[in-house]
Amino acid sequence: MEDSGYIARVAFVMDKLLRKIGLSGRSIVPLLIGFGCTVPAVMSTRTLPSERDRKMTILLTPFMSCTAKLPIYAFFVNAFFPGKGALIMTGLYLLGILMSILVAYLYRNTLFKGEAVPFVMELPDYRMPGAKNVGHLLWEKAKDFLQKAFSIILIATVIVWLLQSFDLHFNPVTDSKDSILAMISGLLVPILRPIGLGDWRICTSLISGFMAKESVVSTLEILFGANVKTAISSLTAASLLVFSLLYTPCVAAVASIKRELGTKWAAAVVVWQCTLAWVAALVVHLIGILIGI
């Protein structure tokens, strides 16, 4: 779409709307890419001419539901809310967008005061994308991802495997509840109990989700076994859906943010996203109790 000249027109059309939340039309491209994967979305902000707009856009991209979260949505919607899949999944995407708008207003009045840079762009003519140019662009983006992000994912996966396979004395464990990862998860239980996620197995799945969002469901199925659908209530599933939507992006995305903005910003994103996720999940949990989910 970029090679055809369409993306430039999208940026032009969205400029007026995005300026209301403190961004320019150019920021729409990274935000749209964020629905696919946060890592290339963060990398694509390098084309933004304003440092203010670039930082603000990077901090907003994790609110877009990447495709790695789809297995979580699909599993819990089908298991606990049959027949309401389209409504709930659409609501989750809209909730992420709504949160990004509210946070953008907050950023505009605190961290990033001022206006976005004027939007000046020569709109290219529509044209058929060249196969050679598209192939070269895809190769460069894929190579950049493999070199910078895949190494982080590999290291993180090995660490999770070690924590899940050994106890504090580095003896192999036969039951995951005796592992180092289970002990670490136990520390999160008091924090997540008020939002209905006070089970060490759920905490473990969220930790594994920090490494790769797709692993949340697989970890739950391993730890709960075949009883996952009966061991978790509909209210817990609703809280977990909202928390998974908003809590910290995966380690590869955090590494990308660290590379673009620095360690302090990356750490702040993790803490900030988890805090927002906790508050939103608490609201859902309380509402669920009131209406009797």
Side-chain angles (χ1 to χ4, degrees), residues 65-268:
S65 286
C66 65
T67 53
K69 296 177 183 178
L70 280 178
I72 305 175
Y73 301 163
F75 175 80
F76 284 101
V77 167
N78 290 330
F80 298 96
F81 309 101
K84 301 177 181 177
L87 178 63
I88 293 176
M89 294 185 74
T90 302
L92 288 170
Y93 275 87
L94 292 177
L95 177 60
I97 295 172
L98 176 62
M99 289 296 293
S100 69
I101 293 173
L102 295 176
V103 171
Y105 276 117
L106 177 64
Y107 288 160
R108 182 182 182 181
N109 296 318
T110 54
L111 296 175
F112 304 104
K113 293 182 179 181
E115 297 295 329
V117 296
F119 184 85
V120 179
M121 176 182 288
E122 181 180 351
L123 296 180
D125 295 329
Y126 282 117
R127 59 185 183 276
M128 285 296 294
K132 183 177 180 181
N133 291 337
V134 173
H136 179 72
L137 180 63
L138 288 174
W139 167 247
E140 290 297 326
K141 297 294 184 183
K143 184 173 68 174
D144 193 33
F145 176 83
L146 291 174
Q147 288 177 341
K148 297 179 179 179
F150 182 72
S151 57
I152 302 295
I153 296 174
L154 178 62
I155 294 171
T157 303
V158 172
I159 292 174
V160 169
W161 176 81
L162 287 172
L163 294 177
Q164 194 171 359
S165 302
F166 297 92
D167 59 18
L168 284 175
H169 302 289
F170 290 99
N171 297 316
V173 298
T174 56
D175 194 331
S176 296
K177 69 179 182 181
D178 300 321
S179 66
I180 300 174
L181 186 58
M183 297 182 63
I184 296 174
S185 301
L187 300 176
L188 298 178
V189 169
I191 300 174
L192 298 182
R193 184 176 289 121
I195 61 175
L197 306 179
D199 189 305
W200 73 269
R201 292 167 291 187
I202 296 177
C203 296
T204 301
S205 70
L206 292 174
I207 292 175
S208 66
F210 175 58
M211 308 306 166
K213 297 299 180 186
E214 303 93 330
S215 64
V216 170
V217 174
S218 59
T219 303
L220 285 174
E221 290 179 332
I222 291 172
L223 297 178
F224 280 102
N227 300 321
V228 60
K229 294 182 181 180
T230 56
I232 297 177
S233 66
S234 298
L235 180 56
T236 298
S239 296
L240 186 56
L241 278 171
V242 173
F243 193 85
S244 298
L245 165 69
L246 298 174
Y247 89 115
T248 176
C250 68
V251 66
V254 174
S256 298
I257 295 172
K258 175 182 177 296
R259 187 165 53 250
E260 298 297 325
L261 300 181
T263 303
K264 291 182 179 179
W265 281 103

Side-chain angles (χ1 to χ4, degrees), residues 81 84 233-236 238 284-293:
F81 309 101
K84 301 177 181 177
S233 66
S234 298
L235 180 56
T236 298
V284 170
H285 185 71
L286 294 177
I287 292 174
I289 293 175
L290 289 175
I291 64 177
I293 294 180

